[in-house]
C-alpha cells in the first residue's frame, strides 16, 4: 500500500475545515489542501477569525496552517496532485422539484464529482464525507468514469460523526471511524490507505470498515436514533408537566439502565442543527422510494414531535402572558442551536422567535456568538418580513440588557454564561409578574422562585 502524500478536501465548511485541520495536525508529512468556491470563507480560514467557532479549533489550525495545511480557492491545482480527495460540500434538503422538503439536494456533490473528473490525472481515492443518501457512490462513480479518460477512481464512504461545539474533541478521540468501500481488491486497498491515515492517532480497533452501502446508511441511522431519543424524552416532558413528574428525574432513572444509557436524554425546547432533521427527512424519503411507507411514517414522527415541542413552547409563553404578547418585550437568550457554536441551522430559537414576532411581541435577543445578519436571515427564511424584523426585533449586547424592561425571559440555548446573571437585579428591572421560560432547564428554578419570578420549565410539573 502506497502511503498518501497529498490530500485535498473540496468544501471548507463545518465538516471539511475542522476534519482536515485535525488530519493535517496529526500527519505532518501529508500535505492537506482545503478548497472552496466561497472566497470569503477561505479568506477567513486564513485568519485567526475562523468561519467556524469551535473551542480549541484555532490552536489545531495554527499548528498546521502554512506547514502542511492550506486553505485556498485553487480547486483544480489541489485536485491534480492529490492521492485522496475528500468531498465535503453541503447536502441541504431540496427546496424544489421532486422530493422537495425531504430529499437531499445533490447538486453540489455532482458538481464536485464533475470537477474531479475533469481535472484528475492518475488514480485517486474519492471519499464521501458529506452526509448523503444511500447509493450516492453509484452516481459518483458513474459521473467520474463517464467524464474522465484516464482517471481511475475508488469511491469510499467515510461519514463524519463529529458534533458541533465538541468537534475538536470528537476528531481527536472519536468513538469510531467508519469507512465503507467496494468489496474488491482495489476497493479493499483504497480502504486500507484511508485507514492508514486515521490510524496515525486512532487505534485500529476503533476504525470500522464495511461495505459502501452500510457506511452510507449508518450515518443517517445514527442521527435518526439520536434524534429519536430526544423526541422520545421531549414527548415525556409534556406528560411530566401534566402529572407533576420531573423529566430530569425520569431521564436519570431510565438512563441508569445500562441498556438505555444516560446520553441524549436531555429534554429541551427541541433539537436543531444541520443534521438531525435533514437526515431523517432523507431517511423517510428513501424508505418511501424503496416502497416502505410504514418505516417512513415511523421516523417521520420524530420530526413531528420535535415541531410540536417548539410550537408548544411558544404557545405556552403566549398563554401564560395572559393570552397576549402584543407589544410586550420578551427577552430571548440564545439563538444558536446549542451552546459553544455560532451555527443557527434549524435552531429551535428561529421558530420560537418567529411565532412570538407574528403574535406581535417585541423581542430583545442576545446570543454571545451568532452574528446579527444571520439572525435576520434565518427569521426571513422562516417567513418573518423585514418590516416585522425592523420594528419588533432588537439585538442586545448582554442578557441583562435584553431582560431590562421585559415581561418575560425565554432561555433557548444553554450558554453557560446565562447561569451567571444577577437574577435579583434582573428581577428589579423587569415588569411584574416577571416570567422565566427555561427551554433548557439551565437555571436554578427554586432560587428564581424565591426572588419572585414565575418560572416555567420544560418537563417540570
Ligand atoms: C449531530 C450528531 O450528534 C453528530 O454525531 C453528527 O455528526 C451531526 O449531528 P450536532 O447537530 O452538531 O451533531 O449536535 P448534537 O449535540 O447532536 O445536538 C443536536 C441538537 O439536539 C441540539 O439542538 C441539542 O441542543 C439537542 N439535544 C441534544 C437535546 O435537545 N437533548 C439532548 O439530550 C442532546
Ligand atoms: P457542512 O456542514 O456539511 O460542512 P457547509 O455548508 O458548512 O456544510 O460547507 C460546505 C462548503 O462546500 C461550503 O463552504 C461551500 O461553499 C462548499 N462548496 C460547495 N460546492 C463546492 C464546489 N463545487 N467546490 C468547492 N466548494 C464547494
Amino acid at each position: 500500500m502506497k502511503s498518501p502524500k497529498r490530500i485535498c478536501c473540496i468544501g471548507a465548511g463545518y465538516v471539511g475545515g475542522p476534519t482536515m485541520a485535525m488530519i493535517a495536525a496529526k500527519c505532518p508529512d501529508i500535505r492537506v489542501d482545503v478548497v472552496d468556491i466561497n472566497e470569503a470563507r477561505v479568506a477567513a480560514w486564513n485568519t485567526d477569525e475562523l468561519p467556524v467557532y469551535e473551542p480549541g479549533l484555532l490552536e489545531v489550525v495554527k499548528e498546521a496552517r502554512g506547514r502542511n495545511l492550506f486553505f485556498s480557492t485553487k480547486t483544480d491545482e489541489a485536485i491534480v496532485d492529490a492521492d485522496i480527495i475528500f468531498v465535503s460540500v453541503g447536502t441541504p434538503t431540496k427546496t424544489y422539484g421532486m422530493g422537495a422538503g425531504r430529499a437531499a439536494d445533490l447538486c453540489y456533490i455532482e458538481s464536485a464529482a464533475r470537477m474531479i473528473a475533469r481535472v484528475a490525472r492518475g488514480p485517486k481515492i474519492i471519499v464521501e464525507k458529506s452526509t448523503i443518501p444511500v447509493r450516492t457512490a453509484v452516481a459518483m462513480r458513474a459521473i467520474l468514469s463517464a467524464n474522465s479518460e484516464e482517471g481511475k477512481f475508488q469511491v469510499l464512504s467515510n461519514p463524519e460523526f463529529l458534533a458541533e461545539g465538541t468537534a475538536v474533541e470528537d476528531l481527536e478521540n472519536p468513538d469510531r471511524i467508519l469507512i465503507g468501500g467496494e468489496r474488491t481488491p482495489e476497493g479493499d486497498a483504497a480502504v486500507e490507505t484511508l485507514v492508514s491515515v486515521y490510524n496515525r492517532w486512532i487505534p485500529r480497533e476503533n476504525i470500522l470498515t464495511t461495505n459502501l452501502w452500510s457506511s452510507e446508511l449508518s450515518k443517517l441511522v445514527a442521527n435518526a436514533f439520536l434524534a429519536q431519543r430526544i423526541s422520545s424524552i421531549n414527548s415525556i416532558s409534556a406528560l411530566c408537566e401534566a402529572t407533576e413528574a420531573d423529566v430530569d428525574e425520569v431521564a436519570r432513572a431510565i438512563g441508569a439502565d445500562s441498556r438505555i444509557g444516560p446520553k441524549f436524554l436531555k429534554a429541551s425546547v427541541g433539537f436543531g442543527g444541520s443534521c438531525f432533521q435533514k437526515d431523517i427527512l432523507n431517511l423517510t424519503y428513501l424508505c418511501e422510494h424503496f416502497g416502505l411507507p410504514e418505516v417512513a411514517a415511523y421516523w417521520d414522527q420524530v420530526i413531528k414531535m420535535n415541531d410540536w415541542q417548539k410550537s408548544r413552547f411558544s404557545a405556552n409563553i403566549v398563554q401564560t402572558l395572559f393570552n397576549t404578547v402584543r407589544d410586550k418585550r420578551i427577552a430571548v437568550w440564545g439563538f444558536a442551536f446549542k451552546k459553544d457554536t455560532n451555527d443557527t441551522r434549524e435552531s429551535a430559537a428561529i421558530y420560537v422567535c418567529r411565532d412570538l414576532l407574528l403574535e406581535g411581541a417585541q423581542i430583545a435577543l442576545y446570543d454571545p456568538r451568532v452574528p446579527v445578519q444571520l439572525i435576520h436571515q434565518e427569521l426571513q427564511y422562516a417567513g418573518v418580513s423585514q418590516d416585522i424584523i425592523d420594528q419588533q426585533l432588537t439585538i442586545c449586547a448582554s442578557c441583562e440588557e435584553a431582560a431590562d424592561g421585559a415581561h418575560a425571559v425565554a432561555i433557548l440555548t444553554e450558554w453557560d454564561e446565562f447561569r451567571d446573571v444577577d437574577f435579583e437585579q434582573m428581577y428589579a428591572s423587569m415588569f411584574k409578574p416577571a416570567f422565566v421560560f427555561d427551554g433548557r432547564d439551565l437555571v436554578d428554578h427554586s432560587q428564581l422562585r424565591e426572588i419572585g419570578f414565575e418560572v416555567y420549565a420544560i418537563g417540570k410539573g
Side-chain angles (χ1 to χ4, degrees):
M1 179 191 57
K2 198 171 112 268
S3 149
K5 296 266 173 302
R6 292 177 81 124
I7 289 177
C8 156
C9 174
I10 304 177
Y14 279 91
V15 172
T19 312
M20 292 305 121
M22 184 59 72
I23 290 180
K26 298 290 183 186
C27 312
D29 56 313
I30 300 179
R31 180 185 163 112
V32 180
D33 286 284
V34 189
V35 291
D36 202 297
I37 39 177
N38 183 334
E39 286 180 17
R41 209 168 226 199
V42 167
W45 278 109
N46 283 316
T47 68
D48 286 356
E49 294 290 321
L50 303 181
V52 169
Y53 172 71
E54 278 294 335
L57 180 60
L58 184 59
E59 288 72 23
V60 179
V61 168
K62 277 180 147 174
E63 182 183 339
R65 195 171 56 194
R67 177 188 71 188
N68 64 323
L69 174 65
F70 302 91
F71 295 94
S72 83
T73 51
K74 295 181 185 151
T75 313
D76 287 9
E77 288 167 51
I79 291 174
V80 168
D81 295 321
D83 305 303
I84 303 179
I85 302 168
F86 284 85
V87 177
S88 195
V89 297
T91 46
T93 304
K94 265 184 95 175
T95 52
Y96 53 89
M98 272 193 299
R102 284 151 21 106
D105 193 339
L106 297 178
C107 65
Y108 303 108
I109 293 271
E110 174 161 349
S111 90
R114 287 186 185 279
M115 202 155 68
I116 296 169
R118 181 172 50 78
V119 178
R121 298 283 167 270
K124 306 269 182 226
I125 297 174
I126 314 298
V127 184
E128 301 169 339
K129 197 71 185 162
S130 313
T131 304
I132 27 94
V134 188
R135 302 196 77 82
T136 302
V138 177
M140 287 268 268
R141 243 186 341 231
I143 294 167
L144 288 166
S145 56
N147 291 283
S148 170
E149 279 163 21
E150 51 171 297
K152 273 188 164 172
F153 303 103
Q154 276 299 320
V155 179
L156 303 181
S157 156
N158 171 219
E160 187 48 67
F161 295 104
L162 67 80
E164 289 177 29
T166 55
V168 172
E169 211 175 299
D170 296 342
L171 288 165
E172 182 122 44
N173 195 14
D175 287 347
R176 79 316 204 173
I177 290 288
L178 178 58
I179 301 173
E182 212 182 352
R183 290 272 157 88
T184 58
E186 297 79 17
D188 290 344
V191 167
E192 280 313 310
T193 302
L194 189 55
V195 167
S196 77
V197 173
Y198 286 109
N199 197 204
R200 307 277 190 103
W201 78 100
I202 294 159
R204 183 63 183 84
E205 61 271 24
N206 293 359
I207 305 176
L208 311 182
T209 58
T210 65
N211 78 29
L212 263 171
W213 324 123
S214 309
S215 173
E216 289 182 340
L217 185 58
S218 296
K219 168 72 192 215
L220 297 184
V221 175
N223 279 340
F225 268 61
L226 291 169
Q228 181 204 41
R229 279 175 74 95
I230 303 169
S231 274
S232 296
I233 199 70
N234 281 346
S235 75
I236 299 303
S237 74
L239 189 57
C240 287
E241 288 160 34
T243 57
E244 294 190 19
D246 177 323
V247 75
D248 286 328
E249 291 179 353
V250 174
R252 185 146 42 92
I254 64 167
D257 184 327
S258 61
R259 293 169 301 176
I260 296 176
K263 294 182 181 169
F264 271 70
L265 288 181
K266 182 80 194 147
S268 69
V269 55
F271 62 74
S274 68
C275 285
F276 284 177
Q277 171 158 319
K278 182 184 84 174
D279 288 356
I280 295 177
L281 288 170
N282 202 333
L283 187 65
T284 59
Y285 186 71
L286 276 174
C287 292
E288 278 171 13
H289 174 80
F290 288 106
L292 301 166
E294 291 79 4
V295 185
Y298 176 77
W299 289 106
D300 202 31
Q301 194 58 31
V302 173
I303 294 184
K304 286 193 177 135
M305 183 52 62
N306 196 48
D307 288 340
W308 183 68
Q309 185 77 347
K310 293 181 274 190
S311 60
R312 188 169 88 80
F313 190 82
S314 28
N316 184 41
I317 296 179
V318 176
Q319 277 156 22
T320 310
L321 294 184
F322 315 108
N323 286 313
T324 176
V325 290
R326 199 185 158 88
D327 294 332
K328 288 181 182 165
R329 180 174 171 107
I330 298 179
V332 168
W333 290 2
F335 199 79
F337 81 98
K338 63 177 192 180
K339 73 170 180 177
D340 290 341
T341 173
N342 57 355
D343 195 345
T344 56
R345 288 178 286 181
E346 290 303 329
S347 178
I350 302 169
Y351 303 97
V352 173
C353 289
R354 177 199 60 192
D355 292 352
L356 294 174
L357 287 168
L358 297 182
E359 286 287 333
Q362 288 290 330
I363 290 194
L365 194 152
Y366 169 66
D367 186 287
R369 288 281 166 190
V370 178
V372 183
Q373 314 83 280
L374 196 53
I375 297 171
H376 285 199
Q377 207 176 303
E378 289 284 21
L379 289 171
Q380 277 169 344
Y381 195 67
V384 182
S385 70
Q386 189 61 47
D387 276 356
I388 292 187
I389 292 174
D390 292 342
Q391 287 159 25
Q392 294 173 230
L393 178 73
T394 312
I395 305 296
C396 300
S398 69
C399 309
E400 292 84 357
E401 186 189 325
D404 191 11
H407 289 260
V409 170
I411 304 175
L412 301 185
T413 311
E414 71 283 22
W415 289 102
D416 291 329
E417 65 176 82
F418 297 166
R419 288 203 183 92
D420 301 331
V421 170
D422 181 340
F423 286 103
E424 301 237 14
Q425 212 166 18
M426 184 178 111
Y427 182 71
S429 77
M430 288 176 66
F431 271 92
K432 310 296 178 316
F435 294 92
V436 170
F437 297 88
D438 189 350
R440 296 288 184 167
D441 187 28
L442 187 74
V443 291
D444 182 343
H445 302 145
S446 47
Q447 184 210 348
L448 259 58
R449 289 197 178 98
E450 267 171 38
I451 294 172
F453 285 102
E454 302 265 343
V455 182
Y456 165 85
I458 299 274
K460 308 283 174 170

